Amino acid sequence: MKEYIEEILKQSIKVIDDTHEVDVSMLKNIRVDRTKDLAHGDFASNAAMVLAKTLHKNPRQLAQSIIDNLPKDERIAKVEIAGPGFINFFINKDYVASLLAEMSADDHLGVSKVSRPQNIVVDYSAPNVAKEMAVHHIRSTVIGDAVVRVLEFLGNNVIRANHIGDWGTQFGMLIAYLERKESEQNSSMDLSDFEAFYREAKACYDADEKFAEKARHYVVLLQGGDEYCQKMWRKLVKMTMDQNQLLYRRLDVTLTDKDTMGESLYNDMLPQIVSDLEQKGLAVEDQGAIVVFLDEYKNKEGQPLGNIIRKKDGGYLYTTTDLACVKYRIDHFKADRILYFTDSRQAQHLESTWAIAKLAGYIPDTVSVEHCPFGMMLGKDGKPFKTRSGGTVKLRDVLDEAESRVNNMLEERHNPLQGEERQEVIHNVAIGAVKYADLSKNRTTDYVFDWDQMLSFEGNTAPYLQYAYSRIRAIFRKTEEKPGRIIIATLAEDELATKLQSFSDAVYAVADKAMPNILCTYLYELAESFMRFYERCPILKSEVLTDQRRSRLALCELTAKVLKQGLNLLGINVMEQM
Ligand code: ARG
């Protein structure tokens, strides 16, 4: 409807503007927005205020002329002038009801697919081998996966790229330590505590010169393709990713093994990248290293900052890998858009890497490469989220604690569910709460990890939304009546109907900005509109007329569908009962 109103406004303006004084740039400033208050109609436009000067009229007068030249349309019940010259459009409620009926019958709930599907590479999660998934990996994993789901829902071809840290000089040390561990235990070991493994390996490296020597030797062998070292390295990668895969499944994250495209994938391309940049005159030798100087990045003295792409000893860097990586994604996957979910501290690294890639012609203008940064996760004390002893908080421990807290909550509430059903509720609420806490905040800011807030059944939380859903489903267990034709008669119904219609806008905004919190806010507002409707509009009471009951059931049903679909796009499950 918004597009239609924009269109008829422009046509009307064209008629009034017979001497062609209005140009395209002025038309661009015209807005049609949903009103905040339904007393002002469904949509409002600032058109008359934007063009009054140009068309030599006062805004209210101009608004009247614009209205006089609008075509008659049954779908628009009334058009009014408000305040300094706003034009308010009241949509025919029967028409709104018919839109909602269409939406409910559509398994995509009125969210159309994009007209031109894109190949979109989403770089997310990206933990490091032989290390515990750190907090920034959790954020990347959860936020990235929600955006992936939304982009796919809209019909795009999404390539999940798990850019794991599976290469680097530390692998000599890790291989040497794995070897020692295996010979001690006389069997292959279970690497369930990466933190300890890494710490012990490092301790050996620092204390034992013979071990360190071996470690350095193994790095060289590994880089040279030595079979034994490669085998040990692959073992480390597999042990790490097997464990991460369990976490992904537990988190209902859609990443699988085939999405793993770690740093090592690009090894063979690195020499070629360096020589190409040298040939193009972008890279130069500087004290034995190969460096790219970019004009945009200068140090305090005003000298251009160098980006090393090959060290003096011949080693390559994170930048070199990311250069090959972005080129590969464009050449191999024919990417139209690439999203990188990494924490905000990597902004400068990515920006300078892409600046080089653009100069080298690896990123054509038609491809959009976007850093989707996020802030830190903080403890309640406002300091970075750490264990009491100052260590990295293990994701596994967070999820265990969430589940045990939810279990206690169910006990306190004397929840009667048992067995598998109870386990499912515990899982869905606990995982949902942890994920939603992260998803619902604007990702660019730091966020405070707060158990009480995220597990609350009040406010903008997963449990609140899941509960709203279950509550609606419970209504349907109490009646034989089926949903019928929607009749929008009261303000509460009107507000709910209006909110339901904005689902598509919210989903598209998430895809556009890569910000799942937009969908969270939408779902929360929808649940609130529903609760107000539910308080004010009786459904099952005997005095309610059948037509009205059926209409209200239809609104309940559509609300439940949108909540379920919306939460599903965020990677959160709902339950019929909880
Ligand atoms: N593994 C990196 C880290 O732990 C994140 C990788 C992000 N992706 C990329 N293409 N650089 O910080």
Side-chain angles (χ1 to χ4, degrees), residues 123-129 131 134 136-137 140 161-166 261 263 266 318 321-322 325-326 329 339-343 345-346 349-350 353-354:
D123 181 317
Y124 71 114
S125 193
N128 298 317
V129 167
K131 283 197 187 159
H136 70 272
H137 299 116
S140 174
N162 196 353
H163 193 85
I164 63 169
D166 62 356
M261 293 173 220
E263 292 176 17
Y266 307 98
Y318 194 42
T321 305
D322 263 322
C325 169
V326 74
R329 288 171 180 175
L339 304 177
Y340 289 71
F341 287 89
T342 75
D343 79 290
R345 286 169 299 185
Q346 299 203 20
H349 157 73
L350 290 174
T353 303
W354 299 337

Side-chain angles (χ1 to χ4, degrees), residues 374-393:
F374 44 82
M376 286 195 289
M377 198 191 276
L378 305 175
K380 256 181 130 169
D381 55 2
K383 298 204 184 102
F385 193 52
K386 288 270 163 71
T387 58
R388 243 173 251 157
S389 56
T392 330
V393 179

Side-chain angles (χ1 to χ4, degrees), residues 226 418-419 551:
D226 172 78
Q418 288 301 326
S551 159

